Amino acid sequence: MADPRAAARRPKRGRLTRSADFDRVFRRGRSFGNRHLVLHLFPRAGEPGDGTDPRVGLSVSRRVGGAVERNRVKRLLREAFSPLAERLPTSVDVVIVARSDAHDLAEREGLAGVSAALGELVDRAASAAAKEGS
RNA sequence: GCAGGCCACGUCGCCGCGGGCGGGCUCGAUCCGCUCGAGGAACGUCCGGACACCACAGGGCAGGGUGGUCGGGGAAUCCGACCCGGGGAAACCCGCGGGAGAGUGCCACAGAAAACACACCGCCGAUGGCCGGGGCGCGAGCCUCGGCACAGGCAAGGUUGAAAUGGUGCGGUAAGAGCGCACCGGCGUCGUGGCGACACGGCGGCCAGGUAAACCCCACCCGGUGCAAGACCGAGCAGGACCGUUCGCAGGCGGCCCGUCGAGGUCCAGGUAGGUCGCACAGAUGGAUGGCGACGCACGACAGAAUCCGGCGUAUCGGCCUGCUAAG
RNA sequence: CGGGGCGUGGCGCAGUCUGGUAGCGCGCGCCGUUCGGGUCGGCGAGGUCCUCGGUUCGAAUCCGGGCGCCCCGA
């Protein structure tokens, strides 16, 4: 984020928008996974974005399915993440990766199943981040 | 049963998302309101075009593509009608559908033979020849019967094969043969109809195997790459030019002069990260069109835009409409 | 988004251009060799040639449609 003004502002949507941001989270962040999803977490403490809400990025590869299935998984993940975001500390970047089984979960259990799977990972990530921060 | 066309869950409530317009404010990646927001295939990427850049005098070769006729169309492996061939009881459906009388190649196995037409087995041997018997004649010889298969004649038959110089019948012959005749098939030619592909009819003679989704010949067409094309702006880093660090540039000390502080400043083209345009009355650039609930019913299939347009092909729960065929 | 390639026994591959017999290695089964195993020798089983059509007398091969997988450019 070369623009220094961005530091003073709250992002319109808490989304990752740069390929470099994704690379940084994958390379240097911690990861938590279950059979449906993988959650990567990277704290941005001390950077210009400090103090803002978590930013999230989605990664749904073609292994999950065709365009229709991938869109459905991404929409459900966005819908599920929105209420869960406040459980995470501020100033973190998160990337949610959907594994192949995520499509089956979305088709069978819908938003409830996705929320459960994602909530588990968010809680694990939040407690881990709290330990490191203290 | 056949053909064609249309639709692709609907309504309501709450919470959300992207673009545009208007407005409020603490002017920002904010808030409020209004409005627009996936498909018939958006798919596959099989063709064509627009657009963009690169290459290019003109022509030819090579290479590739297309292939009945007429019309539509900007073009097309596109569409329509018709012709031909095949299928069906019919409505109707299917077909990469030019040329094998220009040349080359191939046609396994089987079979005498697979393309020049004949050799081979075989049939005949009327005619001529040779051998034998009988008759006539003084004799040369003549007549007649039988045999041989030497000359010669023939292409019907030869258990094969996907395919063998057309098929069936009658005549004909020593044996045979389109040798002759009838019908059918093919070819050539003439006439009639049709814009045409072709169709129908008359006459003629008997040259004519298949394969071109084998090479090839003929006619027509074709430069390459693709919006991640391409255009513009452009940090940083490195480079160049000029001014300045003894003669103090730019800039600051509220405007000006003096004075003072000051070691760097200005410009240049190329262009990385990145951004904007390209880009659309859906239109992003980590990529929007969703979630929950209720009711209705046909219980919801295949499937998600990324430059745009015209086709083709493929997937698909079902529903509606129109016409036609057969039977009743 | 665009471009290219590959589907053949259980596995890895030839054969496809130039159409008629599907072959090789490993693996598998049986027999022999050995006290037993390995090695070695012999014999044998096993393939809708991805799928659906077409051309041809005849298709793994030639020509179309489809399905699946892999790779490359940016």
Side-chain angles (χ1 to χ4, degrees):
Chain A
M1 292 303 154
D3 188 357
R5 294 176 303 174
R9 297 177 196 142
R10 186 174 178 280
K12 183 182 181 186
R13 289 178 298 155
R15 298 188 309 183
L16 291 183
T17 58
R18 290 281 169 264
S19 185
D21 293 336
F22 277 78
D23 289 343
R24 186 177 63 180
V25 174
F26 280 130
R27 210 183 308 279
R28 294 165 58 190
R30 302 193 52 185
S31 64
F32 310 87
N34 56 25
R35 64 167 299 180
H36 304 295
L37 303 170
V38 180
L39 186 143
H40 295 260
L41 180 85
F42 177 73
R44 276 178 294 127
E47 291 192 10
D50 199 1
T52 58
D53 287 342
R55 298 190 304 171
V56 66
L58 299 176
S59 175
V60 183
S61 81
R62 301 187 61 176
R63 298 186 60 83
V64 176
V68 174
E69 289 77 17
R70 296 205 307 277
N71 274 337
R72 171 149 182 85
V73 169
K74 283 192 283 188
R75 285 162 183 160
L76 288 176
L77 283 174
R78 272 194 282 267
E79 201 76 32
F81 183 79
S82 165
L84 293 169
E86 56 194 29
R87 297 199 210 169
L88 285 168
T90 58
S91 306
V92 292
D93 283 347
V94 160
V95 174
I96 302 168
V97 178
R99 316 181 82 162
S100 321
D101 291 333
H103 173 239
D104 294 331
L105 177 72
E107 285 302 305
R108 284 200 320 270
E109 303 181 33
L111 181 60
V114 175
S115 293
L118 184 59
E120 178 209 341
L121 297 181
V122 166
D123 289 341
R124 282 167 54 193
S127 64
K131 272 183 197 167
E132 281 184 7
S134 61

